[in-house]
Amino acid sequence: MKLIAVSDEEELSRIAAEILISKIKTSDRLVLGLATGKTPLGMYRYLSKYSIESKQSYDHVHTVNLDEYVGSQAYHTYMKEHFFQYVDIPSEQTHLPNGEADSLTVECKSYEDIISNLGGIDLQVLGIGENGHIGFNEPGTNFDSRTHVVQLTESTLSANAKYFIDTNQPKKAITMGIGTILESKEILLLAVGERKANAVKELFKGSINKDIPATALKVHPNVTVLADKGARSLLDKES
Ligand code: PGA
């Protein structure tokens, strides 16, 4: 695992965007795995600005998002609002799990089919939960799991409660599995702030274990972690 140490969220956002832009510019076709949450917002801002200012087309990019809440379109809305509305990726090339599907079992299977029909994910962007989750794969998730429905933990619900002040917060989500994520050719994990410091410490210093889902990434051959000072704050100390 490669660690890129950055000073703050701004630098992290710029470097993450530059990594994606260099792939977008040098590929005829690119399958990007995308994440939501607070951490990648700045990256989407840079990617959108670059597309508008440079006139670089993104029309050869296909996207598959990690997750969506059950009974909600919250992350569909997030992606449109923060990224898709600014770029020329055809909407039929953008994919998120449908949390409002009649059959979630069928939806999970179809989502796996979408990813495999695309030929797999070239580069998957990940955040990391305070509890070490990746996507919505909560502690205890099997490392060979495929796209599935999860019951969110109290830690995740409380970290994300701020996004559901006016509406009921869904307690379940559909997420790509850890096995699905690990099949990506390359992974870029973004971590900002001291709240992530323990999860980042476990990722680098801890053993591979299901209690910290991100430690599954230790077996992947091509993972880059971009972490700011706060997220690295427990790495530099004796453990
Ligand atoms: P955050 O979420 O970017 O909102 O902190 C990250 C995650 O839970 O994976």
Side-chain angles (χ1 to χ4, degrees), residues 36-40 127-129 133 135 160 163 195-196:
T36 49
K38 182 174 179 298
T39 314
I128 186 167
H133 74 204
N160 291 343
Y163 303 119
R195 287 188 304 110
K196 306 295 174 69

Side-chain angles (χ1 to χ4, degrees), residues 214-230:
T215 61
L217 301 175
K218 286 170 173 286
V219 302
H220 192 285
N222 195 353
V223 178
T224 302
V225 177
L226 267 172
D228 79 339
K229 206 158 177 278

Side-chain angles (χ1 to χ4, degrees), residues 4 12 19 22 26 28 64-65 68 87 113 120 125 131 133 144 183 185 201 212 236:
I4 301 181
L12 176 135
I19 291 171
S22 107
T26 55
D28 296 330
V64 275
N65 266 74
E68 177 59 282
V87 297
D113 291 343
V125 178
N131 63 2
H133 74 204
D144 60 358
E183 282 172 14
K185 294 177 191 87
K201 180 179 132 191
I212 309 285
D236 306 328

